[in-house]
């Protein structure tokens, strides 16, 4: 089945630094999504990408839908302590079931 | 709107016990899903439903049953709990391509 490989698995950074994470797949996806999960909560949608090459921003977050449709990137600029959490990528494939495939997650810790 | 609600928040079971995790949404979404979250594994789809009366299996359905008698409710049943089912369970409902997740149920099976 379709799988997503997300990296890095974890990051420990200093407040103010920029962060980059990515998601790759051997399969093509039609939509890429990025979620954030705060400790003890369910994931919340950050950004949705709908076409290859698309670059979308949401405040300090910027995400891109790869040209090959097999990858996506998320960047966070000038990190702050509340950026702490787990970031998940998710892909929606070409099948008509509408099932989302999630990456393994990137755990981000920010040192004040 | 309350969004997606899940009960209980925490549960401890003994091996072999059965139980039902409750999920409800008040957004009139047709599409609902159950996921489990394990360290390093991300979110894995257990079962999903595209509307009342329709359910289908996800990636890891074994040991779980679901039903969807109403649009609002989508309970997940563990038939005979096993330690491998220790996990955090999330219910979600969907509008368009956006999943709205509940707060989760943390289940421990001893």
């Amino acid at each position: 089945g379709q799988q997503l490989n997300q990296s890095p698995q974890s990051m420990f950074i200093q407040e103010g630094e920029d962060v980059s994470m990515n998601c790759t797949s051997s399969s093509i996806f039609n939509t890429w999504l990025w979620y954030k999960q705060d400790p003890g909560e369910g994931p919340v949608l950050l950004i949705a990408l709908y076409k290859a090459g698309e670059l979308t921003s949401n405040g300090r977050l910027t995400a891109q839908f790869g040209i090959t449709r097999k990858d996506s990137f998320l960047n966070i600029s000038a990190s702050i302590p509340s950026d702490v959490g787990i970031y998940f990528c998710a892909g929606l494939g070409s099948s008509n079931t509408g099932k989302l495939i999630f990456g393994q997650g990137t755990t981000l810790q920010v040192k004040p | 709107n309350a969004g997606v609600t899940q009960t209980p928040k925490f549960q401890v079971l003994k091996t072999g016990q059965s139980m039902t995790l409750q999920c409800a949404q008040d957004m009139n979404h047709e599409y609902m899903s159950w996921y489990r979250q394990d360290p390093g594994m991300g979110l894995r789809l257990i079962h999903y439903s595209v509307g009342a009366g329709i359910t289908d299996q996800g990636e890891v359905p074994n040991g779980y049953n679901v039903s969807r008698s109403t649009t609002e409710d989508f309970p997940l049943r563990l038939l005979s709990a096993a330690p491998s089912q220790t996990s955090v369970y999330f219910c979600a409902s969907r509008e368009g391509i956006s999943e709205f997740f509940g707060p989760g149920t943390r289940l421990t099976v001893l």
Side-chain angles (χ1 to χ4, degrees):
Chain A
Q2 294 176 307
Q3 288 187 320
L4 295 183
N5 295 312
Q6 190 172 345
S7 65
Q9 204 167 26
S10 63
M11 303 180 74
F12 190 90
I13 62 170
Q14 196 77 30
E15 181 177 2
E17 289 183 353
D18 296 342
V19 173
S20 290
M21 59 191 78
N22 69 81
C23 220
T24 60
S25 173
S26 57
S27 306
I28 288 174
F29 286 94
N30 293 328
T31 302
W32 283 92
L33 306 166
W34 284 93
Y35 285 83
K36 183 196 176 194
Q37 183 181 27
D38 288 327
E41 305 286 331
V44 173
L45 181 66
L46 296 173
I47 291 179
L49 302 158
Y50 300 100
K51 59 180 182 181
E54 180 181 353
L55 187 71
T56 297
S57 293
N58 179 6
R60 292 178 296 106
L61 277 61
T62 301
Q64 184 162 21
F65 192 142
I67 290 291
T68 65
R69 295 167 62 194
K70 293 182 179 181
D71 56 10
S72 180
F73 305 87
L74 176 70
N75 294 318
I76 305 173
S77 62
S79 59
I80 59 178
S82 62
D83 289 334
V84 163
I86 305 176
Y87 292 80
F88 291 102
C89 61
L92 188 61
S94 55
S95 70
N96 60 6
T97 63
K99 290 188 283 188
L100 281 177
I101 309 297
F102 281 84
Q104 304 97 321
T106 295
T107 300
L108 178 65
Q109 294 177 290
V110 180
K111 184 178 181 181
Chain B
N1 286 349
V4 179
T5 58
Q6 291 183 239
T7 56
K9 196 164 180 64
F10 301 95
Q11 182 70 50
V12 178
L13 293 177
K14 293 181 180 178
T15 296
Q17 286 185 314
S18 63
M19 80 158 293
T20 300
L21 278 63
Q22 301 292 343
C23 174
Q25 52 97 4
D26 61 358
M27 298 173 282
N28 204 34
H29 292 162
E30 294 292 334
Y31 199 110
M32 296 186 74
S33 310
W34 274 102
Y35 295 87
R36 59 177 289 173
Q37 182 179 18
D38 303 290
M41 304 288 287
L43 292 157
R44 292 183 292 169
L45 183 65
I46 304 171
H47 286 283
Y48 67 101
S49 168
V50 299
I54 306 169
T55 64
D56 207 345
Q57 295 181 348
E59 182 184 356
V60 288
N62 292 341
Y64 308 95
N65 274 358
V66 291
S67 60
R68 186 91 182 273
S69 56
T70 67
T71 299
E72 293 78 20
D73 300 299
F74 191 39
L76 178 73
R77 278 182 280 278
L78 278 70
L79 308 173
S80 177
S84 62
Q85 293 179 304
T86 294
S87 187
V88 181
Y89 291 85
F90 288 99
C91 177
S93 71
R94 185 184 299 182
E95 180 177 27
I97 53 90
S98 180
E99 295 263 69
F100 293 87
F101 285 87
T105 294
R106 185 174 293 274
L107 176 68
T108 301
V109 183
L110 303 175

